[in-house]
Amino acid sequence: MPKYDLKGRNVLITGASSGIGRGLSRCFAAEGGNLALGCHPSDKAVLESWCAELAGKYGVKVSGFPIDLAEPGGPERMYDSAKSALGKVDVLVNNAGILHYGHFADIPITDHEALIAVNVTAYLKLMRLCLPDMVKAGGGRILNVVSTAAFQPTPWHAAYGASKAFMQSLSEAVNGELRGTGVKVLTFNPSYTRTPLLARGGFPPRVWWFRISGLSDPEDMARKAVKAFKKEKPLHIPLVRNWLVHSILIRAAPRGLINRLSTLVLREER
Ligand SMILES: NC(=O)c1ccc[n+]([C@@H]2O[C@H](COP(=O)([O-])OP(=O)(O)OC[C@H]3O[C@@H](n4cnc5c(N)ncnc54)[C@H](OP(=O)(O)O)[C@@H]3O)[C@@H](O)[C@H]2O)c1
């Protein structure tokens, strides 16, 4: 039974120009939400036409903000832009993300820094910016798109998994602190999904792990995310096989064993 009605809510979504974020923006618009959408400035034209398409199809207010979240002041500009376009932010969807595949020590330090800026600092700052008004209003939701990578180390994209573990811990702890305020922080934790994130980050086309996890469809993941969001699930791992692995098996097995297996199954298959 859905608990949170999205009709007329003001929703800020980062990383809405492609992949899961594009699917999320479609679903939130279909539910009647007014949207402030973000993307990297390189995708300005794509975002502009996506905003026009959503507004025309669903009759909701949609504004686009191509702002680099990795730049100093980027998250603050995103928040201020969304607030002036919508008046207030009822729902924050932290979704923009990047990944770099390879040996940790071979990946340029600037790439590691950018990953932390987008996957961690921008999420944290946007939460910190939105929460005071939400608490004052006695309601509001934050949906952090995290990953199954949050639950164990991810060799060959080590900083990515670490960024997701940070966000999982932060989301759960802040959600606990908010009990009784009417505000909730929820996480959505998909496994590997067919989006530009993997190709751009140099993720190999084949790793053994895909035989278990599969490669999900971003639109399907977005629908599942919004369904879980409306039911106010605090943490949602879509697809039973991935839920079993990441909620049950990985927690029961010795951590050293999981790390050794992860090193093997996440390595490029030739
Ligand atoms: N794909 C997977 O296997 C997978 C699995 C689990 C979780 N996730 C998570 O799902 C979320 C969405 O990823 P996706 O797979 O849908 O990837 P995607 O299609 O590459 O989308 C990433 C979005 O983030 C935006 N972005 C990247 N860097 C940015 C920056 N510096 N400033 C502003 N926006 C920026 C991108 O904008 P541009 O397109 O303009 O660059 C794009 O809109 C991420 O948090 C990711 O970690 C993905």
Side-chain angles (χ1 to χ4, degrees):
M1 196 50 187
K3 291 185 186 166
Y4 193 78
D5 187 5
L6 282 160
K7 198 163 175 49
R9 304 277 191 193
N10 297 324
V11 187
L12 187 176
I13 307 176
T14 64
S17 56
S18 69
I20 298 170
R22 188 176 166 98
L24 287 170
S25 52
R26 183 202 308 283
C27 293
F28 278 107
E31 294 283 340
N34 297 311
L35 309 180
L37 305 180
C39 77
H40 189 271
S42 58
D43 254 359
K44 185 174 186 276
V46 174
L47 187 68
E48 276 170 4
S49 76
W50 182 231
C51 289
E53 190 180 327
L54 288 176
K57 189 163 178 196
Y58 298 105
V60 292
K61 201 170 155 188
V62 188
S63 312
F65 302 101
I67 294 171
D68 186 350
L69 293 171
E71 271 190 357
E76 289 83 352
R77 277 202 295 131
M78 184 67 216
Y79 172 72
D80 290 342
S81 309
K83 223 178 146 178
S84 47
L86 300 172
K88 64 183 172 112
V89 177
D90 300 310
V91 179
L92 163 67
V93 182
N94 266 323
N95 166 78
I98 55 173
L99 174 155
H100 302 292
Y101 188 92
H103 281 275
F104 173 80
D106 292 343
I107 294 170
I109 192 70
T110 46
D111 284 354
H112 287 313
E113 284 169 346
L115 183 143
I116 290 168
V118 178
N119 296 11
V120 175
T121 309
Y123 273 51
L124 180 149
K125 280 190 169 179
L126 284 167
M127 285 173 68
R128 176 64 184 82
L129 289 162
C130 289
L131 276 171
D133 281 351
M134 289 181 177
V135 171
K136 205 187 277 176
R141 296 288 179 269
I142 295 176
L143 175 63
N144 285 330
V145 177
V146 187
S147 168
T148 50
F151 305 118
Q152 69 291 305
T154 57
W156 318 116
H157 46 317
Y160 177 80
S163 73
K164 296 299 178 179
F166 181 104
M167 280 317 305
Q168 190 63 37
S169 175
L170 185 78
S171 305
E172 290 184 31
V174 174
N175 193 42
E177 292 176 10
L178 289 167
R179 190 178 288 269
T181 63
V183 183
K184 291 182 195 297
V185 182
L186 316 171
T187 70
F188 179 63
N189 300 71
S191 187
Y192 295 99
T193 304
R194 202 171 281 104
T195 71
L197 175 110
L198 298 179
R200 274 187 206 152
F203 206 97
R206 278 158 38 110
V207 298
W208 191 91
W209 186 243
F210 288 166
R211 294 188 176 100
I212 305 283
S213 66
L215 260 179
S216 299
D217 170 64
E219 290 285 336
D220 184 41
M221 290 298 102
R223 281 191 295 273
K224 287 181 163 54
V226 173
K227 199 169 163 197
F229 173 87
K230 285 167 65 190
K231 290 183 180 167
E232 306 199 327
K233 289 196 174 182
L235 183 171
H236 184 59
I237 302 174
L239 304 179
V240 173
R241 61 177 182 273
N242 290 324
W243 177 82
L244 273 174
V245 169
H246 295 280
S247 268
I248 310 285
L249 292 180
I250 276 170
R251 286 182 194 187
R255 206 160 161 88
L257 174 66
I258 292 298
N259 199 27
R260 276 168 59 187
L261 284 176
S262 302
T263 311
L264 293 174
V265 301
L266 293 172
R267 191 158 54 193
E268 177 166 17
E269 264 193 348
R270 293 181 193 275

